[in-house]
């Protein structure tokens, strides 16, 4: 039998030892992703009729990339918030409208991604659409970006109205010409929602819910959304016509970081 040279034998022994340590050492194992508390649910399990057009798992948003923590295009909310949306939806369906959500629970890692993007003043790929008139150095001071978001507490969502029957929304084409988010509806990025005067995530004072320049049909649509949600306990953020929080919040002081994924709420009903 051929004897293994001592140097080779030493290498083999060292490799075997390292393998054993790697397999057995708890620190070497991947840390499991946190799961949502039982009070969180997928909105579709409470109301499958509410349209979901989640923007942050994809690249058509103000950071021009899929956002950290969005592993699936899914609306996750605290159960009371989801149930209140369901009540509002029932009333709106009778009037020929549906709610449509763009974003719901948002993990802290996504907020951190927004902050990194806002601090990178050289990255202005989306300026022509999302903040044409705002200097990027002003995004924090003007309140468009913050290091904490109510979305991370689970009772806040971004949403709009769609007139039924809902038409399909043309998908974003990478590299397409960007149009200001406050351009006339026929010119800006196509969306099957009603005309609210600006697109979603428009960093502009025209997005303020009660901006006096918003009149006519656009004003009627904003008021319809606010009245429908206000009747069920939602409070609007005055600077963003699409942003609503269900009150009282279940977790008013907790900023969660579990990923937006079905497994985060698996088994929650």
């Amino acid at each position: 039998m051929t004897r293994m040279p001592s140097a080779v034998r030493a290498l083999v022994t060292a490799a075997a030892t390292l393998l054993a340590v790697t397999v057995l050492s708890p620190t070497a194992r991947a840390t499991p992703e946190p799961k949502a508390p039982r009070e969180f649910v997928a909105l579709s399990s409470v109301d499958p009729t509410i349209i979901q057009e989640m923007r942050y798992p994809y690249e058509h948003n103000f950071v021009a990339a899929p956002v950290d923590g969005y592993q699936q295009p899914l609306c996750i909310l605290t159960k009371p918030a989801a149930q209140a949306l369901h009540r509002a939806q029932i009333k709106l369906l009778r009037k020929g409208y549906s709610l449509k959500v763009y974003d719901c629970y948002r993990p802290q890692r996504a907020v951190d991604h927004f902050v990194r993007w806002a601090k990178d003043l050289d990255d202005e790929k989306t300026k022509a659409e999302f903040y044409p008139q705002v200097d990027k150095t002003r995004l924090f001071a003007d309140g468009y970006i913050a290091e904490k978001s109510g979305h991370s507490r689970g009772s806040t969502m971004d949403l709009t109205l769609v007139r039924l029957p809902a038409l399909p929304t043309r998908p974003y084409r990478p590299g397409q010409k960007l149009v200001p988010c406050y351009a006339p509806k026929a010119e800006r990025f196509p969306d099957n929602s009603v005309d609210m005067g600006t697109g979603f995530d428009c960093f502009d004072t025209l997005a303020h819910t009660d901006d006096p320049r918003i009149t006519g049909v656009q004003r009627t649509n904003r008021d319809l959304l606010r009245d429908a949600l206000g009747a069920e306990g939602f409070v609007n953020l005055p600077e963003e016509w699409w942003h609503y929080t269900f009150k009282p919040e279940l977790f008013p002081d907790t900023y969660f970081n579990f990923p937006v994924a079905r497994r985060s709420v698996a088994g929650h009903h």
Side-chain angles (χ1 to χ4, degrees), residues 193-251:
S193 64
V194 302
D195 187 3
M196 294 288 192
T198 78
F200 167 59
D201 265 351
C202 191
F203 298 170
D204 193 272
T205 52
L206 270 175
H208 292 190
T209 310
D210 288 317
D211 189 286
R213 293 167 292 177
I214 300 297
T215 58
V217 172
Q218 297 170 342
R219 165 60 46 209
T220 300
N221 289 336
R222 289 190 185 189
D223 289 345
L224 176 60
L225 179 63
R226 181 164 51 184
D227 291 348
L229 294 174
E232 302 302 335
F234 291 94
V235 177
N236 173 242
L237 180 71
E239 291 77 22
E240 298 177 349
W241 61 257
W242 55 81
H243 180 119
Y244 283 84
T245 300
F246 179 71
K247 299 290 183 83
E249 293 185 66
L250 266 188
F251 300 102

Side-chain angles (χ1 to χ4, degrees), residues 16-227:
T17 304
L18 182 61
L19 183 62
V21 169
T22 304
V23 170
L24 298 174
S25 169
T27 56
R29 293 185 193 132
T31 306
E33 286 278 21
K35 289 196 71 169
R38 294 207 61 80
E39 293 89 348
F40 282 80
V41 293
L43 175 62
S44 58
S45 70
V46 175
D47 191 324
T49 72
I50 295 174
I51 300 166
Q52 298 193 25
E53 189 181 307
M54 313 307 287
R55 289 289 178 87
Y56 298 142
Y58 305 106
E59 62 181 290
H60 182 235
N61 57 61
F62 60 87
V63 304
V67 178
D68 291 356
Y70 288 88
Q71 297 177 2
Q72 290 173 311
L74 185 70
C75 174
I76 295 175
L77 290 168
T78 53
K79 194 177 294 185
Q83 290 167 336
L85 272 192
H86 170 60
R87 293 193 297 272
Q89 174 76 343
I90 290 171
K91 294 176 184 175
L92 285 164
L93 288 174
R94 293 187 191 126
K95 297 179 179 179
Y97 294 90
S98 173
L99 292 168
K100 179 173 82 170
V101 288
Y102 294 115
D103 190 42
C104 298
Y105 157 75
R106 180 184 305 166
Q108 181 61 45
R109 67 190 84 177
V111 179
D112 296 342
H113 190 169
F114 292 168
V115 170
R116 288 195 307 274
W117 168 82
K119 290 179 177 176
D120 181 1
L121 300 181
D122 294 329
D123 179 357
E124 294 207 320
K125 290 194 287 287
T126 65
K127 181 175 176 63
E129 178 173 358
F130 291 99
Y131 54 110
Q133 299 196 86
V134 179
D135 191 288
K136 198 173 181 185
T137 60
R138 297 286 310 168
L139 292 180
F140 286 104
D142 292 352
Y144 293 113
I145 301 288
E147 297 194 353
K148 294 287 186 184
S149 169
H151 283 272
S152 303
R153 303 194 295 260
S155 296
T156 293
M157 68 285 316
D158 296 329
L159 73 176
T160 188
L161 291 171
V162 175
R163 191 85 170 107
L164 297 173
L167 299 170
T169 294
R170 175 178 67 70
Y172 171 74
R173 294 192 297 263
Q176 72 181 51
K177 184 176 184 296
L178 299 182
V179 177
C181 53
Y182 48 73
K185 190 175 190 320
E187 297 174 23
R188 62 181 183 257
F189 179 77
D191 190 317
N192 64 355
S193 64
V194 302
D195 187 3
M196 294 288 192
T198 78
F200 167 59
D201 265 351
C202 191
F203 298 170
D204 193 272
T205 52
L206 270 175
H208 292 190
T209 310
D210 288 317
D211 189 286
R213 293 167 292 177
I214 300 297
T215 58
V217 172
Q218 297 170 342
R219 165 60 46 209
T220 300
N221 289 336
R222 289 190 185 189
D223 289 345
L224 176 60
L225 179 63
R226 181 164 51 184
D227 291 348

